[in-house]
């Protein structure tokens, strides 16, 4: 097989407003190989990918395609070369079907008319290869975050890509779904396609990639064979220091039950869901895609209407009909989609932090001084790296955006915090910070409900785990039962009904 580089970069650099975010990066993306790209949030990974995909023009450096210098002026030019990118943040049209999104801009036609049947069939075939249970005719806006991730992957694979760039493609996928994706990516590489794989899940990088490019503070540290590094070696190289224990010490809750759910039903989504959360508890919600975890959180926040069942907040029955009502009761919800449902990307940090608590800062007009002071306190508390409070959050790294998103909800002073994929798309250093923040919130008596597709995260952070399957509670586990295989037994239906 030809292993010559398809795409090369030499001395790539990038500046934004006089600030250099990428410095002297060299790389070679070889046909038939998978190149991993790792680094902390803000290390320059996304900037590098956007240059290769034609979204940014480098300040300095040379790009070569099959050995010849080339300028990739826009995404169209990249696509014509055969460079296709699966972005970290979704680039989908919610009002269109899955098939329409997969072929958007490259629609199939027959006799001058859209060939809808052919597009549906081709989309179904790609989704089948991904082992994704997604209907090609489903409206994208109705899909879960994990399902949208698979649609983005299908959208890239449907084209005859020669270089396929994947930015955090396993975010929101469980181990089985990620394994199916990896098997497909290996088959794609065997056909001579060059792949670039960016992930904060270092075990995935170790398992999938041939070589690894390590970035730190915008500069290349090394490009080495993946076989030569352990995940721990990768983490140390990324951050330039030894890492402390990843998960904080667990402490059992001592407070009363503050959220009590009994027999909750949402037609087609949830069936007879019953559980409780105590003050100061970190409770995990585990399950496969479509198990109903996110739908449960949305129902608790008033985004979905239950047909039956009861919710009690601090011992009192609560009929939650809107997010505003949920916030007044002390609930807050960090959704998995921070770009679409969490932050306004064109706003600065301060207005994003006060989005859910604006009434506290407004007496006719918004008190900008108080708003700025509150935002500055959160920035210091969460160690948000930003040039200024008024800088649009779209310029922040994923980890810093997530901290701003968490600050937005903590500014409402909640007593019950729902966190859906709280470490989605952030690096190991930022993850440790988020875990410590969650532990500190629990120590203050806040009840934390954590939804995560990463079983290591669920087991490492939570004292008790509710496992869901097909909209129902399949089991509740704690103590010695908190093992990956035990959770998967319940998530897949091999065990059901037993609770700790």
């Amino acid at each position: 097989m030809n292993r010559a580089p398809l795409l090369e970069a030499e001395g790539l650099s990038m500046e934004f407003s006089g600030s250099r975010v990428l410095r002297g990066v060299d790389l070679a993306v070889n046909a038939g190989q998978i190149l991993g790209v790792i680094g902390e949030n803000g290390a320059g990974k996304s900037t590098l990918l956007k240059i290769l995909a034609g979204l940014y023009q480098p300040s300095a450096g040379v790009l070569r395609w099959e050995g010849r210098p080339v300028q990739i002026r826009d995404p169209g030019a990249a696509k014509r070369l055969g460079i296709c990118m699966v972005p970290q943040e979704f680039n989908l049209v919610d009002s269109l079907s899955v098939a329409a999104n997969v072929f958007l801009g490259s629609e199939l036609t027959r006799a001058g008319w859209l060939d809808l049947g052919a597009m549906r069939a081709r989309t179904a075939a790609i989704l089948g290869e991904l082992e994704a249970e997604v209907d090609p005719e489903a409206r994208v806006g109705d899909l879960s975050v994990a399902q949208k991730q698979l649609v983005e992957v299908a959208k890239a694979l449907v084209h005859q890509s020669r270089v396929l760039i994947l930015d955090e493609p396993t975010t929101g996928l469980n181990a089985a779904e990620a394994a199916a994706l990896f098997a497909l990516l290996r088959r794609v590489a065997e056909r001579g396609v060059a792949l670039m794989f960016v992930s904060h899940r270092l075990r995935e990088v170790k398992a999938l990639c041939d070589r690894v490019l390590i970035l730190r503070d915008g500069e290349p540290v090394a490009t080495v064979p993946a076989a030569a590094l352990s995940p721990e070696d990768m983490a140390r190289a990324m951050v330039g220091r030894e890492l402390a224990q990843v998960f904080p010490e667990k402490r059992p809750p001592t407070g009363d039950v503050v959220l009590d759910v009994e027999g909750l039903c949402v037609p087609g989504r949830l069936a007879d869901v019953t559980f409780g959360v105590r003050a100061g508890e970190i409770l995990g919600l585990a399950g496969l895609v479509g198990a109903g975890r996110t739908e449960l959180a949305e129902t608790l926040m008033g985004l979905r209407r239950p047909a039956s069942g009861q919710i009690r907040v601090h011992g009192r029955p609560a009929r939650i009909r809107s997010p505003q009502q949920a916030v007044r009761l002390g609930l807050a919800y960090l959704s998995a989609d921070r770009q679409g449902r969490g932050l306004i990307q064109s706003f600065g940090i301060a207005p994003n932090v006060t989005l859910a608590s604006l009434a506290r800062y407004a007496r006719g007009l918004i008190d900008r001084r108080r708003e700025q002071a509150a935002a500055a306190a959160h920035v210091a508390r969460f160690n948000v790296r930003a040039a200024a409070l008024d800088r649009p959050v779209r310029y922040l790294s994923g980890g810093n955006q997530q901290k701003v998103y968490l600050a937005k909800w903590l500014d409402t002073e909640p007593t019950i915090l729902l966190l859906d994929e709280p470490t989605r798309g952030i690096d190991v250093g930022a993850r440790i910070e988020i875990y410590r923040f969650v532990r500190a919130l629990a120590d203050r008596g806040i009840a934390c409900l954590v939804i995560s597709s990463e079983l290591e995260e669920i087991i490492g952070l939570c004292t008790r785990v509710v496992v869901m399957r097909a909209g129902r509670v399949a089991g509740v586990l704690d103590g010695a039962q908190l093992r990956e295989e035990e959770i998967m037994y319940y998530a897949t239906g091999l065990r059901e009904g037993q609770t700790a």
Side-chain angles (χ1 to χ4, degrees):
M1 180 182 293
N2 179 24
R3 297 288 180 178
L6 283 176
L7 179 63
E8 297 172 275
E10 183 180 340
L12 278 190
S13 299
M14 186 74 193
E15 291 185 2
F16 290 113
S17 304
S19 176
R20 183 164 290 187
V21 296
L22 208 63
R23 307 175 187 85
V25 174
D26 299 337
L27 66 85
V29 188
N30 295 341
Q33 290 190 349
I34 304 176
L35 174 67
V37 182
I38 63 173
E40 289 189 278
N41 287 108
K45 304 185 303 296
S46 293
T47 300
L48 172 62
L49 301 191
K50 288 176 180 178
I51 290 173
L52 301 180
L55 292 163
Y56 291 163
Q57 297 301 304
S59 305
V62 176
L63 291 171
R64 295 187 181 88
W65 180 258
E66 294 185 320
R68 298 186 300 276
V70 65
Q71 287 187 312
I72 307 176
R73 298 186 182 279
D74 53 49
K79 193 172 180 180
R80 287 190 292 275
L81 288 172
I83 302 171
C84 193
M85 180 173 172
V86 178
Q88 179 178 342
E89 303 295 349
F90 304 131
N91 187 20
L92 301 170
V93 181
D94 281 351
S95 59
L96 296 180
S97 70
V98 170
N101 269 279
V102 167
F103 282 93
L104 192 62
S106 304
E107 290 80 1
L108 302 180
T109 59
R110 184 172 59 182
W113 296 88
L114 289 177
D115 194 341
L116 299 178
M119 289 190 285
R120 281 194 296 268
R122 180 67 179 133
T123 300
I126 290 289
L127 292 170
E129 288 189 70
L130 287 169
E131 299 181 13
E133 295 182 4
V134 180
D135 183 354
E137 298 186 58
R139 179 180 172 273
V140 161
D142 296 330
L143 302 181
S144 69
V145 169
Q147 289 171 322
K148 288 181 180 179
Q149 192 77 52
L150 292 170
V151 172
E152 281 283 15
V153 174
K155 184 177 169 183
L157 292 175
V158 80
H159 303 293
Q160 298 301 311
S161 304
R162 299 188 65 194
V163 173
L164 182 58
I165 301 171
L166 303 111
D167 192 359
E168 301 286 351
T170 59
T171 297
L173 305 186
N174 61 43
E177 292 155 345
L181 174 61
F182 290 172
L184 178 60
L185 294 180
R186 291 187 184 101
R187 293 197 298 272
V188 170
E190 287 170 0
R191 297 202 296 259
V193 176
L195 283 80
M196 292 183 67
F197 180 79
V198 178
S199 179
H200 291 305
R201 299 179 178 182
L202 301 182
R203 287 182 176 81
E204 293 182 348
V205 174
K206 170 75 173 177
L208 181 67
C209 299
D210 300 298
R211 294 176 299 125
V212 182
L213 167 63
I214 304 166
L215 296 175
R216 188 195 308 152
D217 297 327
E219 297 183 357
V221 175
T223 300
V224 294
L229 297 174
S230 68
E232 292 75 19
D233 293 333
M234 294 180 192
R236 284 190 289 269
M238 283 167 50
V239 301
R241 63 184 186 278
E242 291 292 329
L243 288 169
Q245 178 181 344
V246 174
F247 295 104
E249 182 183 352
K250 293 184 183 182
R251 284 183 279 277
T254 57
D256 296 331
V257 173
V258 293
L259 176 65
D260 192 14
V261 177
E262 184 177 349
L264 197 65
C265 295
V266 176
R269 302 289 182 176
L270 303 174
D272 194 26
V273 173
T274 299
F275 70 97
V277 191
R278 300 165 69 95
E281 181 175 15
I282 304 177
L283 176 71
L285 264 184
L288 305 179
V289 171
R293 298 166 302 163
T294 294
E295 289 81 359
L296 173 58
E298 290 173 347
T299 303
L300 295 174
M301 284 300 294
L303 294 165
R304 295 180 184 271
R305 291 285 181 93
S308 60
Q310 190 170 55
I311 300 170
R312 294 185 186 89
V313 179
H314 298 287
R316 292 185 167 187
R319 297 184 66 189
I320 304 173
R321 296 291 182 259
S322 70
Q324 292 80 7
Q325 186 182 4
V327 170
R328 287 195 294 271
L329 289 169
L331 279 80
Y333 176 41
L334 190 90
S335 77
D337 186 3
R338 65 172 170 262
Q339 184 181 55
R341 297 185 178 183
L343 302 174
I344 300 177
Q345 296 291 309
S346 59
F347 279 19
I349 293 173
N352 267 294
V353 165
T354 60
L355 269 175
S357 54
L358 195 58
R360 295 172 50 194
Y361 302 91
R363 292 181 176 85
L365 296 175
I366 298 172
D367 187 336
R368 298 296 184 189
R369 182 175 296 178
R370 285 186 62 222
E371 181 185 61
Q372 291 280 321
H378 284 299
V379 164
R381 176 185 183 186
F382 290 111
N383 190 30
V384 178
R385 298 178 186 177
L389 292 178
D390 59 355
R391 185 170 177 80
V393 297
R394 66 169 173 264
Y395 294 118
L396 301 181
S397 68
N400 285 310
Q401 285 191 21
Q402 192 74 341
K403 292 177 186 178
V404 173
Y405 192 13
L406 185 55
K408 165 190 164 179
W409 284 114
L410 291 182
D411 202 59
T412 68
E413 299 182 350
T415 57
I416 301 164
L417 180 61
L418 315 175
L419 302 113
D420 196 348
E421 305 290 356
T423 59
R424 175 177 178 259
I426 65 176
D427 65 75
V428 63
R431 280 171 181 249
I432 293 173
E433 290 184 276
I434 295 289
Y435 298 150
R436 288 177 178 169
F437 294 147
V438 173
R439 180 65 262 171
L441 295 174
D443 289 343
R444 284 169 42 195
I446 295 175
C448 299
L449 183 60
V450 177
I451 301 169
S452 179
S453 300
E454 298 190 42
L455 295 185
E456 181 182 12
E457 181 169 273
I458 284 281
I459 293 168
L461 192 61
C462 304
T463 53
R464 195 163 55 100
V465 175
V466 174
V467 186
M468 296 190 67
R469 179 177 178 271
R472 297 176 179 271
V473 173
V476 182
L477 311 175
D478 69 3
Q481 292 179 309
L482 281 185
R483 305 189 307 275
E484 290 194 17
E485 61 270 25
E486 195 75 11
I487 292 174
M488 288 306 296
Y489 289 153
Y490 284 94
T492 57
L494 294 176
R495 292 183 189 167
E496 192 164 1
Q498 182 180 349
T499 61

